[in-house]
Amino acid sequence: MAIRTSQNAMSEAVAISKGPGLIRRLSRGAANKLTRRRTSSAHMECNSSSGPVIMRSRSESNSGLEGGRDSLDLGHNENDEEAVEDHSDPGIGGPRDDLRSLPGACASKFHRGGIGPAIPPVLREGTFLLKISRKKKVKRKFVLDVDTAVVSWDPAKPSKRFCVDDIKEIRVGADARNYREEFGIPADSENRWFTIIYAEYERKGRLKALHLITPDEGVFSLWTTTLEKLSKYRIDMMSSLAQQGEKSLHAHWRREMAKQASSGLQLEGEEQMSLDRVEKLCRNLHINCSKAYLRAQFERADTDSTKSLTFPQFKEFIRLLKERRDVKDIFEAIASNSASGLEEREFINFLCDTQGVDVEADRPHWLRVYAKFVRRSKPKDSVLRETPTARPSLMSFEAFSEFLSSPYNLVLLTSPREPNLDRPLNEYFISSSHNTYLMGRQVAGESSIEAYIRVLQRGCRCVEVDCWDGADGRPVVNHGRTLTSKVLFSDVIGAIGKYAFMSSPYPLIISLEVHCGSEQQAVMADILKSTLGDRLVMEPFMTNSFVLPSPQELRHRVLIKVKASKESDENSLLNDISMGRDRTSPSTPRLATLDNPSIPVATTGAPSLQSSTPKRSLNTRSNGVANGHLTGTSSSSTTDESDSKEGSDLRRKRKHSNIAKPLGDLGVYVRGQKYSNFALPESKSYNHVFSFSERTFENLCKDSDLKSQLEKHNMRYLMRLYPSVYRINSSNFDPNKFWRRGVQMVALNWQTFDLGTQMNDAMFGSGVDRTGYVLKPIQLRQSNQSFDVLADSAVVRTKKGKKLVKFRVDMISAQQLPRPKNLASDQGIDPYIEIEVFSADDKAKGVASGEGGLDASARNGMSGIGSPHRRRTKIIRDNGFNPIFNETFTMSLETKFPSLVFVRWTVWNSVDGRSYGDRNGALATFTAKLSSLQQGYRHLPLYDSNGDQFLFSTLFCKIKKKEVIPIEEMDARSGKVEILMQLGRSVFNRTIATEKRIEDRTANTW
């Protein structure tokens, strides 16, 4: 729910949008929803959930959060509201998004001194609304309980209610139109229709869509406005707990006193709070610590032993809860006089020396940041009384603590400048989705436009649409020959058109899987053109250029990936054979082809590339893959004649395309092509795309020559890879297996938030990467060698030297960890942290190693693809609110792909306070690309198993990264060191002293 704001840095961190709020045509601002968990007790209350979360969909300003990782499956179930299936991995949750992009917002005001928003009595008493589902339309009385923040329509059934905090979105107007039309409701009901999408966490976090029609527009306004205000108020209450000022605490106090007075729990004029009331308040504000811990702090604040707290004592109680000794130690270490505060010079030195910030790149900015937090160090009235001659103020400990958790100190890199994505499209990894229309499983899940909305809000740049003939002449989208439901193609394209550039202005690729007949294909083409309009690319920008355009050139444009029609296919094939299409990058000389179209030479006087490539025999043997099986084919590509003959033979053998010309002509820059082998002319057309399933791709890579040809292909041409058909539960593979081969579009099942999706989020999670386009490592892009993918593998294969990657993580503490499901309110959390390192190298011994904590890696010492290096902290007993770990982990690995190293932090709860093990269930997690992590003291955001970010739960770490060093360079250094050591032994006879001095000079000290 779009509620955000508060008066300090924490509130800025959780602020989502300055726009209107939750109701705001809510699909567009869906990112901004905050939800929380609840238990499945018969009497449902919101104060028993694990903690509030931020829905990570992006804001309409393109600078908001990433999309939520919730799994919305609008399928049928036994209840008459629509259900949402979740098939996420219960053991992991995930990355990608932190507080980096959350803009600040103006502080919201509490109603009447902080007591709460005014709730219309008619909603407390209940109003009759028409509830719509696929099965029926029934009138139900909906009642809003303000104390528990629960909306119910059948008090006898716990399933017929939801908590306000669990609302993900409220759809109104045009944003709910597709539901209204699907259920056959007339258009005159649109201004009274609203759809509430909420989470039901006792049922694996699945979402439900509740469709309602009010009797008139007045009741419509009451419900939508009140739900927004109430949700905003509750989030403000929880956010204000992190503030240091008295005003927010007074708001909490006044609210509780008003509740006690109205319920007769205290005499008039008596303002005190008992331990029971304090415990209930803390649970309601998600302070997840044991009763024993709360009681101990209560007794410390209860100085007169009355077993109740006055307002001054309540302030002391909150101060004790929020005390950050870990941050205090840092402050005292960097401030020369911590009692007075932190000087400007000391703050700048801290940024440079500890945080790794290049202050000089924007020194005025950091001086303004310092001044901002200095102002927060002083009471507001003292700021107004300041004079030009007043002594410079210093940053207080409280302000410094706020800075560390503010958007100015994010863990992931940010990109203050406008990105310049000016390389050809094939040189980027592209954030891609598989079977995008599905909300759950592959065989019996639900198809919905909701899936497209969510992945686009989350930054996806390539969506898939499977098209089939509709019974009424209108094409439909679903997973063919399965039990999945259908959705109209026109609705899908309408949703795509509306949300295409919400999260990123860079090109969107629509990958069409066409199973329709020619008539409905023509309908599809008309829908694409009429809906997408000028944004749809329908012809090349330059007729004589055979270079794919850059994402920069394709801003706000839509590309269609589709196979060519029979006519276009044959014309394209003849052009490829006769012209030998070629393209160069903007920074290299254009190449012209000679007799062999796949061996280009420079036309601008550059050294000939042909001479460096051995001539091939006319009957060179080349393997191919057809229908998922390895096959052998002979190819000859040394002359135009042989190419023409090969093309002629191919046209007789190959299966003609069934794509109609109006639709096939839309495949301008992304033309689908069935793979046979790399010898054929269509394998060299500049705009073709090969698509492989993961199993076919893995079979192809078993042959070293084919693997080399494939990698060479991906330096120049596009490729898409998708999960195996056997992943019926919509699970995902490790995308590193395919990124390391240069595959641009590694398509994943986004509805499942497992490790694959987490890594994908991390890949596209920071700075410029958030555009959905990541420039591939240099060794996976164009080389200076011939682009003949069939050239001798010994010449083509590019040597990828290994590099040493080292980093250190000081795991200091955690804050307000979420509670496990169904944990008793008087039971504490026994957390421990697990850190994993994932690389893109083949699994082998010695790939990765580490020090610190408990080694939880594979016992055989193997690491690499499918086997991360893993270490754990000790278990902290009975403290999920502010556990202190103070453990240091040093990680090192040898890898060919430093930019494909990922780190994952996972929070676990020990069942008995002593044992480790996956069976205990993960509480939260965070995954990041190592190269995206900033150094120094950082708060890491945490995510649940659905990928929703917890609002208050964080890990506090210090991160230090060493410079990446090529292994060859290290070996050379080692050789020089050994020579010096031998000289020390033979000439000076000072072996020990010499070795010590050399070690001091060469050691990688932290």
Side-chain angles (χ1 to χ4, degrees):
M1 304 212 3
I3 323 243
R4 331 310 79 161
T5 90
S6 47
Q7 296 101 350
N8 72 349
M10 172 60 77
S11 298
E12 289 180 4
V14 300
I16 304 295
S17 172
K18 293 184 180 179
L22 151 76
I23 312 300
R24 182 182 91 202
R25 317 323 123 225
L26 270 182
S27 298
R28 286 186 277 151
N32 314 325
K33 311 312 172 272
L34 300 170
T35 63
R36 31 177 279 178
R37 315 270 163 264
R38 53 180 184 168
T39 60
S40 54
S41 57
H43 178 64
M44 176 187 163
E45 292 188 3
C46 284
N47 60 12
S48 58
S49 63
S50 65
V53 301
I54 299 174
M55 284 296 297
R56 293 184 305 120
S57 30
R58 300 182 190 245
S59 73
E60 56 190 327
S61 64
N62 298 334
S63 62
L65 288 173
E66 292 186 340
R69 290 291 183 260
D70 47 319
S71 302
L72 180 63
D73 183 359
L74 302 180
H76 302 285
N77 89 4
E78 65 279 7
N79 298 323
D80 49 2
E81 64 268 15
E82 295 189 71
V84 180
E85 244 183 300
D86 176 31
H87 301 288
S88 57
D89 185 339
I92 44 184
R96 133 132 186 93
D97 197 42
D98 53 25
L99 305 175
R100 62 190 173 276
S101 62
L102 303 179
C106 301
S108 64
K109 304 297 182 184
F110 287 100
H111 176 76
R112 290 183 294 182
I115 296 177
I119 306 298
V122 66
L123 300 189
R124 293 173 180 265
E125 296 168 2
T127 64
F128 282 95
L129 305 177
L130 187 63
K131 191 162 75 68
I132 310 295
S133 70
R134 285 189 173 90
K135 297 179 180 179
K136 56 186 176 181
K137 305 174 181 63
V138 294
K139 273 192 177 182
R140 292 285 184 266
K141 187 176 184 180
F142 283 75
V143 179
L144 172 60
D145 186 327
V146 180
D147 290 336
T148 61
V150 169
V151 176
S152 62
W153 55 99
D154 188 343
K157 296 181 179 179
S159 63
K160 306 299 183 183
R161 62 184 72 186
F162 63 86
C163 177
V164 171
D165 295 353
D166 287 335
I167 297 177
K168 303 282 188 177
E169 304 177 32
I170 298 179
R171 300 277 177 83
V172 299
D175 286 309
R177 185 173 299 158
N178 63 294
Y179 292 123
R180 179 182 58 75
E181 293 177 344
E182 182 180 354
F183 296 143
I185 303 300
D188 59 7
S189 298
E190 183 166 296
N191 59 352
R192 296 179 290 114
W193 173 295
F194 65 105
T195 294
I196 300 175
I197 297 175
Y198 65 95
E200 192 179 41
Y201 283 98
E202 67 267 22
R203 306 188 70 169
K204 295 185 178 181
R206 71 178 183 178
L207 304 185
K208 284 189 175 181
L210 180 63
H211 311 291
L212 302 171
I213 300 178
T214 61
D216 55 57
E217 293 185 28
V219 176
F220 170 88
S221 180
L222 278 180
W223 273 106
T224 54
T225 303
T226 301
L227 289 175
E228 178 181 20
K229 287 182 177 180
L230 180 59
S231 178
K232 185 178 181 64
Y233 166 72
R234 289 178 63 81
I235 295 298
D236 281 343
M237 276 198 355
M238 290 181 279
S239 299
S240 64
L241 181 66
Q243 299 181 37
Q244 304 295 330
E246 183 174 316
K247 184 176 180 180
S248 60
L249 294 180
H250 193 261
H252 288 296
W253 182 263
R254 295 306 312 151
R255 176 180 181 274
E256 288 302 311
M257 293 304 101
K259 288 176 63 176
Q260 290 184 188
S262 63
S263 59
L265 296 178
Q266 66 180 25
L267 299 176
E268 185 177 354
E270 182 184 69
E271 293 194 349
Q272 294 181 335
M273 196 180 299
S274 66
L275 175 60
D276 288 341
R277 297 296 298 181
V278 168
E279 287 178 345
K280 186 172 182 179
L281 173 64
C282 287
R283 288 197 304 272
N284 200 32
L285 296 177
H286 304 289
I287 299 176
N288 295 323
C289 48
S290 66
K291 281 189 174 181
Y293 181 80
L294 282 177
R295 187 178 298 109
Q297 307 311 313
F298 183 93
E299 292 174 353
R300 289 175 63 186
D302 182 18
T303 53
D304 51 6
S305 301
T306 60
K307 297 186 178 181
S308 61
L309 301 182
T310 61
F311 179 64
Q313 292 172 332
F314 176 72
K315 286 196 299 181
E316 175 63 12
F317 170 77
I318 296 297
R319 188 195 68 79
L320 292 172
L321 284 181
K322 295 191 298 183
E323 195 171 45
R324 289 289 301 271
R325 185 66 241 180
D326 52 348
V327 177
K328 189 75 170 179
D329 292 340
I330 300 169
F331 185 76
E332 292 174 348
I334 64 175
S336 57
N337 186 347
S338 59
S340 300
L342 191 65
E343 298 177 4
E344 181 185 279
R345 169 185 55 83
E346 295 168 333
F347 177 72
I348 296 298
N349 289 341
F350 170 73
L351 294 178
C352 295
D353 301 338
T354 304
Q355 302 299 90
V357 176
D358 183 6
V359 173
E360 295 308 318
D362 195 357
R363 190 177 185 86
H365 164 75
W366 291 109
L367 294 180
R368 288 194 298 270
V369 170
Y370 175 78
K372 178 176 183 176
F373 284 92
V374 165
R375 289 193 297 272
R376 291 185 176 176
S377 304
K378 299 173 292 186
K380 185 175 294 185
D381 57 349
S382 68
V383 174
L384 298 176
R385 293 195 306 268
E386 279 187 355
T387 63
T389 58
R391 181 180 177 183
S393 299
L394 305 181
M395 183 186 292
S396 67
F397 163 68
E398 289 78 13
F400 176 73
S401 181
E402 288 184 23
F403 165 77
L404 288 181
S405 60
S406 76
Y408 299 103
N409 192 54
L410 300 173
V411 66
L412 295 182
L413 294 169
T414 57
S415 178
R417 58 180 176 80
E418 182 72 15
N420 184 25
L421 308 182
D422 60 357
R423 305 295 300 175
L425 202 62
N426 55 283
E427 295 192 20
Y428 292 89
F429 293 126
I430 304 172
S431 183
S432 304
S433 165
H434 171 61
N435 285 356
T436 312
Y437 47 88
L438 288 179
M439 311 308 290
R441 296 179 182 268
Q442 300 289 308
V443 176
E446 189 76 9
S447 303
S448 171
I449 67 165
E450 199 70 43
Y452 291 94
I453 293 173
R454 293 188 176 276
V455 301
L456 291 172
Q457 289 173 336
R458 290 158 56 182
C460 183
R461 295 292 82 197
C462 177
V463 297
E464 184 178 19
V465 183
D466 280 12
C467 314
W468 299 79
D469 281 330
D472 57 356
R474 296 187 294 173
V476 296
V477 175
N478 78 325
H479 201 189
R481 304 184 183 94
T482 67
L483 300 178
T484 58
S485 62
K486 302 174 182 177
V487 60
L488 287 175
F489 178 78
S490 57
D491 287 347
V492 168
I493 301 305
I496 291 174
K498 184 173 184 178
Y499 295 95
F501 303 106
M502 172 180 295
S503 64
S504 171
Y506 292 95
L508 175 69
I509 301 170
I510 300 178
S511 179
L512 296 181
E513 186 74 22
V514 182
H515 305 277
C516 300
S518 57
E519 291 184 2
Q520 293 199 22
Q521 286 185 43
V523 173
M524 290 171 56
D526 290 340
I527 291 172
L528 288 167
K529 293 174 183 178
S530 61
T531 304
L532 301 176
D534 293 340
R535 294 176 296 176
L536 181 64
V537 175
M538 291 187 284
E539 59 184 18
F541 295 162
M542 297 178 63
T543 56
N544 295 323
S545 174
F546 300 111
V547 181
L548 286 176
S550 69
Q552 195 74 26
E553 295 171 307
L554 290 166
R555 282 171 60 94
H556 297 289
R557 303 303 294 270
V558 178
L559 303 176
I560 303 299
K561 174 186 169 292
V562 64
K563 293 179 180 178
S565 64
K566 175 183 176 181
E567 304 95 310
S568 300
D569 208 10
E570 290 185 348
N571 291 336
S572 173
L573 181 60
L574 291 174
N575 289 336
D576 290 338
I577 294 171
S578 61
M579 296 180 62
R581 289 183 173 178
D582 181 53
R583 72 114 168 87
T584 62
S585 69
S587 61
T588 57
R590 181 164 296 279
L591 303 175
T593 54
L594 299 181
D595 290 339
N596 186 344
S598 47
I599 305 181
V601 295
T603 62
T604 60
S608 171
L609 298 178
Q610 184 182 18
S611 60
S612 63
T613 306
K615 293 184 177 180
R616 295 176 46 80
S617 166
L618 290 176
N619 294 316
T620 300
R621 186 92 176 150
S622 172
N623 289 328
V625 174
N627 300 323
H629 302 287
L630 293 174
T631 62
T633 60
S634 63
S635 64
S636 176
S637 57
T638 57
T639 66
D640 278 341
E641 181 180 356
S642 63
D643 273 342
S644 298
K645 183 177 184 299
E646 181 182 337
S648 178
D649 292 341
L650 172 66
R651 286 193 298 274
R652 287 195 297 269
K653 295 176 183 177
R654 69 202 301 257
K655 181 180 178 180
H656 286 307
S657 169
N658 292 320
I659 301 298
K661 192 174 188 303
L663 185 61
D665 286 350
L666 298 180
V668 178
Y669 287 123
V670 197
R671 177 176 294 173
Q673 182 66 56
K674 184 174 179 60
Y675 172 78
S676 296
N677 61 51
F678 292 112
L680 303 178
E682 60 261 36
S683 299
K684 306 178 186 71
S685 61
Y686 81 111
N687 61 348
H688 80 272
V689 182
F690 286 145
S691 292
F692 290 117
S693 74
E694 60 176 302
R695 291 196 174 191
T696 301
F697 188 97
E698 289 169 348
N699 286 335
L700 185 66
C701 289
K702 291 177 181 178
D703 182 281
S704 60
D705 282 344
L706 278 173
K707 180 173 69 176
S708 177
Q709 293 169 19
L710 184 148
E711 291 176 353
K712 193 67 177 178
H713 170 277
N714 292 343
M715 288 183 177
R716 183 177 182 185
Y717 308 112
L718 289 171
M719 183 175 288
R720 181 177 179 271
L721 191 130
Y722 54 91
S724 167
V725 67
Y726 297 105
R727 293 183 180 272
I728 59 175
N729 63 345
S730 296
S731 62
N732 289 298
F733 43 66
D734 182 342
N736 252 348
K737 289 197 294 186
F738 311 107
W739 284 330
R740 66 176 178 167
R741 306 297 180 205
V743 178
Q744 294 87 355
M745 291 175 279
V746 178
L748 299 172
N749 292 307
W750 284 46
Q751 69 270 35
T752 304
F753 199 67
D754 54 13
L755 175 63
T757 308
Q758 293 169 41
M759 292 177 68
N760 190 76
D761 277 355
M763 168 64 84
F764 301 96
S766 70
V768 177
D769 300 347
R770 289 170 62 82
T771 62
Y773 286 85
V774 173
L775 189 64
K776 296 197 291 185
I778 186 64
Q779 69 266 35
L780 298 181
R781 295 176 2 226
Q782 289 186 1
S783 72
N784 292 326
Q785 297 174 345
S786 161
F787 278 108
D788 179 8
V789 296
L790 295 177
D792 186 76
S793 60
V795 176
V796 172
R797 192 176 295 116
T798 302
K799 176 68 175 178
K800 302 182 183 73
K802 285 194 173 183
K803 299 176 177 63
L804 178 65
V805 175
K806 293 188 69 175
F807 66 98
R808 189 185 74 183
V809 175
D810 294 344
M811 188 61 247
I812 301 172
S813 62
Q815 294 73 46
Q816 290 188 251
L817 295 177
R819 292 177 66 83
K821 286 184 178 180
N822 303 319
L823 189 68
S825 61
D826 60 346
Q827 185 177 352
I829 302 174
D830 301 326
Y832 64 93
I833 312 298
E834 197 169 76
I835 300 179
E836 298 168 284
V837 181
F838 301 87
S839 68
D841 300 270
D842 289 326
K843 187 160 56 176
K845 287 187 177 181
V847 171
S849 61
E851 297 178 356
L854 176 67
D855 189 351
S857 305
R859 294 184 179 180
N860 59 8
M862 303 287 279
S863 55
I865 289 285
S867 185
H869 184 76
R870 182 183 296 117
R871 307 194 80 83
R872 291 170 177 162
T873 67
K874 59 181 175 291
I875 297 171
I876 303 298
R877 296 294 301 271
D878 201 24
N879 187 356
F881 183 67
N882 56 0
I884 301 294
F885 298 96
N886 278 338
E887 295 194 49
T888 297
F889 300 91
T890 302
M891 305 288 195
S892 63
L893 65 154
E894 297 180 3
T895 177
K896 297 177 183 177
F897 309 97
S899 62
L900 297 180
V901 175
F902 295 83
V903 187
R904 180 167 70 169
W905 287 260
T906 305
V907 182
W908 299 89
N909 178 53
S910 173
V911 173
D912 55 10
R914 298 182 301 275
S915 61
Y916 296 90
D918 295 352
R919 65 182 179 84
N920 299 332
L923 300 182
T925 190
F926 171 69
T927 307
K929 191 164 52 175
L930 180 60
S931 59
S932 298
L933 289 171
Q934 299 203 79
Q935 301 192 82
Y937 293 99
R938 309 284 175 173
H939 284 89
L940 279 56
L942 291 174
Y943 301 86
D944 67 4
S945 60
N946 297 312
D948 295 340
Q949 181 187 337
F950 287 102
L951 182 57
F952 305 118
S953 303
T954 57
L955 299 179
F956 187 49
C957 300
K958 183 182 180 183
I959 300 168
K960 180 69 175 179
K961 298 188 290 185
K962 299 297 290 185
E963 181 182 357
V964 176
I965 303 175
I967 298 297
E968 295 85 349
E969 183 179 327
M970 291 192 60
D971 292 341
R973 290 182 184 179
S974 299
K976 293 178 181 179
V977 168
E978 180 61 28
I979 292 173
L980 289 174
M981 293 172 67
Q982 291 176 2
L983 286 173
R985 296 188 189 100
S986 61
V987 178
F988 301 104
N989 197 25
R990 296 283 301 276
T991 304
I992 297 177
T994 302
E995 290 181 0
K996 181 65 168 66
R997 286 196 299 272
I998 294 172
E999 288 174 1
D1000 290 341
R1001 289 198 300 269
T1002 59
N1004 289 325
T1005 58
W1006 292 101

